[in-house]
Amino acid sequence: MATLDTTEPETGENGGEGIRRRDFINIAAVSFAGVGAVSLLYPIVNQMNPSADVLALASIEVDVSAIQPGQAIKTIFRKQPLFVRHLTPAEIAAADGVDAASLRDPQTLEERTKTGKKQWLITMGVCTHLGCVPLGAGEGEAKGEFGGYFCPCHGSHYDTAARIRKGPAPKNLEVPEYAFTSDTVVQVG
Amino acid sequence: MSFPWAEHYTPKHPFMRYMDEKLPLPRLVYNAVGAGYPVPRNLNYFWNFGVLAGAALAIQILTGIILAMHYAANGLVAFDSVEHIMRDVNQGWLLRYAHANGASMFFIVVYLHIFRGLYYGSYKAPREMVWLLGLVIFLLMMATAFMGYVLPWGQMSFWGAKVITGLFSAIPLVGTTIQEWLLGGFAPDNAALNRFFSLHYLLPFVIAAVIILHIWALHIPGSNNPTGVDVKGPQDTVPFHPYYTAKDGFGLGVFLLIFAILLFFAPNYLGHADNYIPANPLSTPAHIVPEWYFWPFYAILRAFTVDFILPAKLWGVLAMFAAILLLFFLPWLDRSPVRSGNYRPLFKKSFVVLVVDVLVLGYCGGAPAEEPYVMISQLAAAYYFAHFLIVLPIISKIEKPLPLPNSITEAVLKGKDGATLSTNAVAQPAE
């Protein structure tokens, strides 16, 4: 049962108004209970973070030899869509014709592709707004006002270098880490 | 608490007297919804929707528990398990449609419940806590409905999950971490589906608990009424039972009739055909839209298309959450001492504009993200905020309210809205 502590302030060891040893015990006990509660909370929260199997990410290899200029393919990289697009000279010219500094997320096509492989535009197919897959990679899909990609969720338009040009998305489509292992094979990741 | 003239519980049967001494649960019920709870005598049909919301929650919990007996929360089989419910489980089609359309009915009655409160000033002192708890329930409802819609693992489920968790990625610095924590991965997958199932089961019980607080908080001052005038004496009230149990029972009958029509004759009218396509992580449906009850907020979210100090994406997310959080401040934004919109000529006009504005927002939220809908939703979103932050505070300063009836009884006896010519518009203190 709880009892009211009605004892007079001890005048012995600490003298009158000072901090008593019992005050320290009180603070120490509550502090330890707090530490215990937080350490219990941590696994309860952390169990929702990506588990070991999800984190065991792998790289993929994509054979691009069959992709004709003007075509694009969708594939899966880390459970998310990846676009591999073979740009036509007209699309490259359209991308280069834009003053990169005037864009929301300034980048040139040069910076978004590998040296000497300017026709290969490899990006994540994840709209940087809220994560939908933009249209434009598939046959007959709307490419938006800038000839690149159009996200149907909230109307973001990307140009032929997959740079954000219009709509709510804040960034260009992400270019993942990749390298050409041969003329026709790309290793992503 | 109740009014002093409330009838007292006097158990007659010896067992009930025995019970009352040990655990006075019947007494609690008697004082909460029985004859022991006096209620203003002039409540109109807009006062039915609280009970209807409670009924809708009960339907959702009951059908939900049953559906969970046959549903499997795994990306490989979730969609098929819902079709299994539809085709193989005895009356599974009925229970599944009842749960899906029950969510729509729940939101319909809750929206009417909210707008009732907005018009009649039910959020004003001394009922602020009732209003705040109600908004908490509304937020929980939206979270629950969202996670439930993910479970069938159709196209709308998958992409809805992606977009809604994507909202959190707009938060600077920690956003992506939060999104990955919510999803348990980098895109919606088994981990997300599995936890959404668990939380979709949990939250309705949290809602039920907050509803208990909501009713408790309401029963301290007692119900508001169409005049907004306080109860002054026994002549202003009738006991809840049988007067309002009967009236609510009638309302419940009408509610169930409409529900049955929807359920049996148009079970897919309020849904999206795309959610009958299994989730495809590689393709977003061309016309992805959320469920109708999220449309107004969705329209606000995508009304922001240009960067302005902050990125457009963050603005949209902030505005969408602000559209609801703003309502938490409503009792302190509307300073007019007159509760009911019936006696506030300017407020009444602005209220109609607000209702139209929300309907326009809803329409735009369901339309594709193209012109002219983007521009219309920008204007409508701007008005939505202006209504609460500018129009209401100004109106409550400059408005000259109509004379109030002296009492609820006077309003009842003089006509339906108590348009009195009384010179004494000052409310008398309760006796």
Side-chain angles (χ1 to χ4, degrees), chain B residues 362-407:
Chain B
Y363 182 78
C364 291
E370 296 160 0
E371 294 300 349
Y373 303 115
V374 175
M375 200 183 63
I376 295 172
S377 51
Q378 283 165 343
L379 294 173
Y383 180 77
Y384 180 90
F385 288 100
H387 175 87
F388 291 105
L389 293 173
I390 302 169
V391 176
L392 264 190
I394 291 178
I395 282 181
S396 50
K397 273 213 169 66
I398 64 169
E399 185 177 54
K400 191 174 181 299
L402 302 176
L404 293 172
N406 286 319
S407 73

Side-chain angles (χ1 to χ4, degrees), chain A residues 91-110:
Chain A
E91 286 172 333
I92 294 173
D96 285 339
V98 179
D99 175 19
S102 68
L103 299 176
R104 185 180 293 172
D105 183 9
Q107 267 186 322
T108 61
L109 180 61
E110 212 76 48

Side-chain angles (χ1 to χ4, degrees), chain A:
Chain A
M1 292 296 286
T3 51
L4 276 176
D5 187 1
T6 51
T7 50
E8 296 291 314
E10 289 169 29
T11 47
E13 295 149 47
N14 288 320
E17 301 290 303
I19 300 166
R20 297 171 304 155
R21 282 194 288 180
R22 285 193 178 191
D23 293 334
F24 174 76
I25 291 171
N26 191 350
I27 291 166
V30 172
S31 304
F32 268 86
V35 170
V38 170
S39 58
L40 263 179
L41 200 61
Y42 177 74
I44 289 171
V45 171
N46 193 38
Q47 50 82 22
M48 277 174 67
N49 275 319
S51 55
D53 61 319
V54 174
L55 288 175
L57 299 170
S59 57
I60 57 163
E61 288 200 334
V62 184
D63 182 355
V64 299
S65 57
I67 309 171
Q68 300 302 312
Q71 276 191 335
I73 61 160
K74 290 182 199 173
T75 179
I76 302 178
F77 173 59
R78 293 178 183 172
K79 299 227 168 184
Q80 290 181 285
L82 178 79
F83 291 165
V84 182
R85 185 159 173 178
H86 195 167
L87 298 175
T88 62
E91 286 172 333
I92 294 173
D96 285 339
V98 179
D99 175 19
S102 68
L103 299 176
R104 185 180 293 172
D105 183 9
Q107 267 186 322
T108 61
L109 180 61
E110 212 76 48
E111 290 163 350
R112 294 174 59 73
T113 51
K114 298 291 173 197
T115 321
K117 301 275 189 189
K118 210 172 173 181
Q119 72 275 34
W120 292 111
L121 179 67
I122 300 178
T123 60
M124 298 304 295
V126 181
C127 179
T128 55
H129 182 221
L130 294 171
C132 294
V133 181
L135 301 173
E139 196 85 26
E141 286 179 354
K143 288 177 187 286
E145 290 176 21
F146 299 90
Y149 300 105
F150 169 69
C151 181
C153 288
H154 305 92
S156 291
H157 297 258
Y158 295 87
D159 66 11
T160 52
R163 294 174 297 199
I164 180 65
R165 296 294 290 274
K166 189 181 171 191
K171 294 272 178 196
N172 302 333
L173 288 187
E174 185 193 344
V175 176
E177 273 185 40
Y178 69 90
F180 280 87
T181 53
S182 77
D183 269 352
T184 56
V185 177
V186 187
Q187 186 183 342
V188 186

Side-chain angles (χ1 to χ4, degrees), chain B residues 24 63 73 94 96 156 203 206 216 222 270 276 290 328 342 351 374:
Chain B
T63 54
L94 175 72
R96 193 260 177 137
M156 288 294 174
L203 287 186
V206 180
W216 187 3
L270 293 172
Y276 281 106
F328 279 90
N342 278 349
F351 178 81
V374 175

Side-chain angles (χ1 to χ4, degrees), chain B residues 2 49 51 72 79 125 146 150 153 175 184 192 245 260 265 271 314-315 318 361 382:
Chain B
S2 191
F49 292 98
V51 164
F79 189 89
F146 157 63
V150 171
W153 214 233
T245 43
F265 299 105
L314 184 55
W315 274 119
L318 289 176
L361 275 175

Side-chain angles (χ1 to χ4, degrees), chain B residues 65-94:
Chain B
I65 288 173
I66 294 169
L67 290 174
M69 294 179 183
H70 306 280
Y71 167 81
N74 180 301
L76 296 174
V77 293
F79 189 89
D80 292 341
S81 77
V82 174
E83 287 309 306
H84 159 71
I85 290 170
M86 294 293 285
R87 296 166 195 209
D88 303 334
V89 174
N90 298 325
Q91 285 83 51
W93 58 273
L94 175 72

Side-chain angles (χ1 to χ4, degrees), chain B residues 35-192:
Chain B
Y37 181 55
V39 185
R41 61 194 281 192
N42 61 335
L43 302 189
N44 61 30
Y45 276 109
F46 281 108
W47 265 261
N48 273 56
F49 292 98
V51 164
L52 297 183
L57 178 71
I59 292 171
Q60 291 307 87
I61 289 181
L62 184 68
T63 54
I65 288 173
I66 294 169
L67 290 174
M69 294 179 183
H70 306 280
Y71 167 81
N74 180 301
L76 296 174
V77 293
F79 189 89
D80 292 341
S81 77
V82 174
E83 287 309 306
H84 159 71
I85 290 170
M86 294 293 285
R87 296 166 195 209
D88 303 334
V89 174
N90 298 325
Q91 285 83 51
W93 58 273
L94 175 72
L95 293 159
R96 193 260 177 137
Y97 278 149
H99 196 70
N101 288 291
S104 283
M105 293 300 289
F106 199 174
F107 276 95
I108 289 170
V109 296
V110 163
Y111 279 131
L112 287 167
H113 192 60
I114 291 172
F115 278 99
R116 188 282 317 269
L118 283 174
Y119 182 75
Y120 291 109
S122 303
Y123 51 85
K124 291 187 182 184
R127 296 182 185 83
E128 303 97 313
M129 192 54 70
V130 186
W131 175 253
L132 300 181
L133 287 166
L135 289 172
V136 170
I137 294 170
F138 182 51
L139 288 171
L140 287 168
M141 273 178 67
M142 294 204 286
T144 310
F146 157 63
M147 289 192 278
Y149 195 54
V150 171
L151 301 183
W153 214 233
Q155 274 288 66
M156 288 294 174
S157 300
F158 182 93
W159 292 103
K162 180 108 191 197
V163 168
I164 302 296
T165 57
L167 296 179
F168 293 90
S169 74
I171 301 167
L173 304 177
V174 294
T176 313
T177 313
I178 293 176
Q179 186 187 9
E180 284 169 10
W181 177 75
L182 287 169
L183 288 174
F186 307 102
D189 203 4
N190 267 342

